[in-house]
Amino acid sequence: MITIGFGLAVAVGTALLSLPPATRSGQRADLVDALFTATSAVCVTGLVTVDTGSYWSGFGQAVILLLIQAGGLGIMTLATLLTVLLSRRLGLRARFLAQAETKSLDLTDVRGVVRRIVLFSLASEAVVAVALTLRFATAYDQPFGAAVYNGVFHAVSAFNNAGFSTNADSLVGFVADPWVSLTVAAAVILGGLGFPVVFELARTWRRPALWSVMTRITVVLTVSLLTLGTLVLTLTEFSNPRTLGPLSGPEKLLAGFFASAMTRTAGFNSVDVGAMRPDSLLASDVLMFIGGGSAGTAGGIKVTTFGLLAFVLWSEMRGERHVHVGSRRVPGSNQRQALAIALLGVGAVVTATFLLLAITPYRLDVVLFEVVSAFGTVGLSTGITGSLPPEADLLLVVLMFAGRIGPLTLASALALRDRTRRFELPEERTIVG
């Protein structure tokens, strides 16, 4: 149902963007461009084959904005409701204990859950839109109507981790502006945390001992990856004359933090990504592949998947039979789900990179960056998207669609298919490594 729903949304978006009024020229858009843009918007990715501000008309941009909103709300709602659905598969005693200890979402209040998600999303977008509108109107002398439009567009795009911008250079013009950069980064981080985590933090932020395993992993890894990404990207690009080189010390740190936050997976850029050094691109690949929080608008394999695998590795190195996160033991089924999602993600990235290298003339680091950005629904690009052949665009369309709904549907399918085996075969160890 999730796959069909997102597929229908992409089809409707493609049809609307194929209409002549959707382009500024009044001519019908190329079908591949319309399909690529619609998929990127619904999957809240941000990769584009044509410039959003100059190619699409006001009608076309409104369609893109609605597709972003539908895709972002759809992901948050479906992921949260699937969490509720999977929780119902627990035994009655376990469900009561889980609710009593974590004060989680009411398993019977589906309407309430959806209502709170919609209100939370719209309220967050409204706050960001007001802040950006005031800045655009007062500091950049934009007419009030244009400031409101740009503020709303970037607020919706940021909160939903889409990365679409009406500016041809994204947010490069605001690289030294902390008001715009930090506001957009805050919206991206908030949307990427996920509604269950935000909802739990709103009630128990003063009592970390009561946090669930998902909230604990999401918060710790989000802060850690943001900090590590800021340090790595700032240091690797510190003296690059085409990116951070001309900026002052505080401005370099701001730009480094913004770049780190955008890999979580928003797609805005305040420096030229194509001018980054190979080591910076590789660091960004890792951050984009990990992505953001579960049940949020971010993509990637999710920080919960990565964090859970890190705890599995730590427990294995210590020789422990069970994996513990805080005061909780993680079931083996969760560990297998995380491993399956991570390995399938690696397989998808490697396969798509091989195919793109075969049909395009670009070097490995650039192609890998584009592939990881599409799979992680990030939207960052080194600038090659618009010059790719149609078959490469279609490959990225498939990758964006799979990267958006793949981890969600795969995790839920694996969890719902978990069943007890009524017999066991004789055990035999094999050599590993």
Side-chain angles (χ1 to χ4, degrees):
M1 290 178 64
I2 294 174
T3 304
I4 293 174
F6 273 82
L8 289 176
V10 169
V12 172
T14 302
L16 292 175
L17 291 177
S18 297
L19 298 175
T23 64
R24 289 191 180 274
S25 64
Q27 298 179 349
R28 190 179 299 274
D30 181 78
L31 181 60
V32 174
D33 290 333
L35 173 63
F36 192 99
T37 304
T39 305
S40 184
V42 171
C43 298
V44 290
T45 304
L47 286 175
V48 293
T49 54
V50 293
D51 179 55
T52 304
S54 61
Y55 185 83
W56 302 109
S57 65
F59 170 74
Q61 293 178 26
V63 170
I64 292 173
L65 199 64
L66 290 175
L67 293 176
I68 292 172
Q69 187 72 83
L73 280 176
I75 283 294
M76 290 190 72
T77 303
L78 290 172
T80 304
L81 293 181
L82 277 174
T83 302
V84 175
L85 172 63
L86 297 179
S87 297
R88 294 182 67 89
R89 294 293 298 267
L90 298 172
L92 185 61
R93 179 183 296 274
R95 285 165 53 191
F96 280 139
L97 288 175
Q99 284 186 277
E101 293 181 4
T102 65
K103 297 182 175 61
S104 58
L105 300 172
D106 186 353
L107 302 181
T108 60
D109 187 18
V110 174
R111 291 184 180 180
V113 171
V114 175
R115 182 172 62 251
R116 288 195 290 273
I117 291 174
V118 173
L119 292 177
F120 165 68
S121 301
L122 296 181
S124 300
E125 292 169 358
V127 172
V128 175
V130 170
L132 292 178
T133 297
L134 293 175
R135 188 61 173 174
F136 292 153
T138 57
Y140 297 94
D141 297 326
Q142 293 186 10
F144 184 73
V148 171
Y149 178 77
N150 289 326
V152 171
F153 192 98
H154 287 89
V156 174
S157 184
F159 179 80
N160 291 288
N161 281 210
F164 278 86
S165 176
T166 53
N167 305 316
D169 59 355
S170 190
L171 298 181
V172 173
F174 308 96
V175 61
D177 189 335
W179 186 314
V180 174
S181 295
L182 293 179
T183 300
V184 171
V188 168
I189 295 170
L190 184 63
L193 285 176
F195 178 75
V197 173
V198 172
F199 185 74
E200 186 173 339
L201 288 176
R203 292 180 289 98
T204 62
W205 65 275
R206 291 184 178 181
R207 296 173 292 173
L210 299 180
W211 291 355
S212 64
V213 171
M214 184 173 76
T215 298
R216 193 183 300 268
I217 293 178
T218 301
V219 171
V220 171
L221 273 183
T222 296
V223 174
S224 300
L225 292 175
L226 280 173
T227 304
L228 182 62
T230 300
L231 293 176
V232 171
L233 294 177
T234 301
L235 291 176
T236 54
E237 295 296 319
F238 195 86
S239 58
N240 189 342
R242 300 172 62 189
T243 55
L244 303 187
L247 303 176
S248 65
E251 291 172 350
K252 290 179 180 179
L253 189 61
L254 174 64
F257 171 76
F258 188 82
S260 177
M262 293 309 105
T263 58
R264 306 313 309 290
T265 52
F268 294 107
N269 61 285
S270 60
V271 296
D272 183 8
V273 177
M276 283 185 170
R277 291 169 173 160
D279 46 356
S280 300
L281 295 180
L282 180 59
S284 299
D285 290 340
V286 175
L287 294 172
M288 291 190 299
F289 184 76
I290 296 173
S294 299
T297 53
I301 64 171
K302 310 299 184 184
V303 292
T304 45
T305 302
F306 178 78
L308 188 54
L309 291 177
F311 277 105
V312 171
L313 178 61
W314 178 246
S315 298
E316 187 65 27
M317 292 174 62
R318 297 180 63 184
E320 297 180 352
R321 296 184 59 187
H322 301 292
V323 177
H324 297 91
V325 179
S327 58
R328 296 291 185 272
R329 178 167 59 87
V330 179
S333 58
N334 259 167
Q335 301 170 38
R336 293 191 297 271
Q337 292 161 22
L339 183 62
I341 291 173
L343 290 181
L344 287 175
V346 170
V349 168
V350 171
T351 302
T353 301
F354 176 82
L355 293 175
L356 273 185
L357 284 173
I359 60 180
T360 63
Y362 300 106
R363 64 182 191 269
L364 175 60
D365 58 342
V366 174
V367 170
L368 178 62
F369 187 92
E370 202 80 7
V371 168
V372 176
S373 180
F375 174 78
T377 66
V378 181
L380 291 172
S381 175
T382 56
I384 68 172
T385 311
S387 58
L388 293 175
E391 57 269 24
D393 289 335
L394 293 177
L395 176 61
L396 292 181
V397 165
V398 174
L399 203 59
M400 286 189 290
F401 193 81
R404 177 71 280 176
I405 67 171
L408 174 64
T409 54
L410 177 62
S412 58
L414 291 175
L416 291 173
R417 287 176 60 87
D418 188 29
R419 53 181 178 265
T420 303
R421 190 184 184 101
R422 299 188 180 276
F423 65 92
E424 290 294 341
L425 297 174
E427 184 179 275
E428 179 180 348
R429 288 185 176 273
T430 185
I431 298 176
V432 177

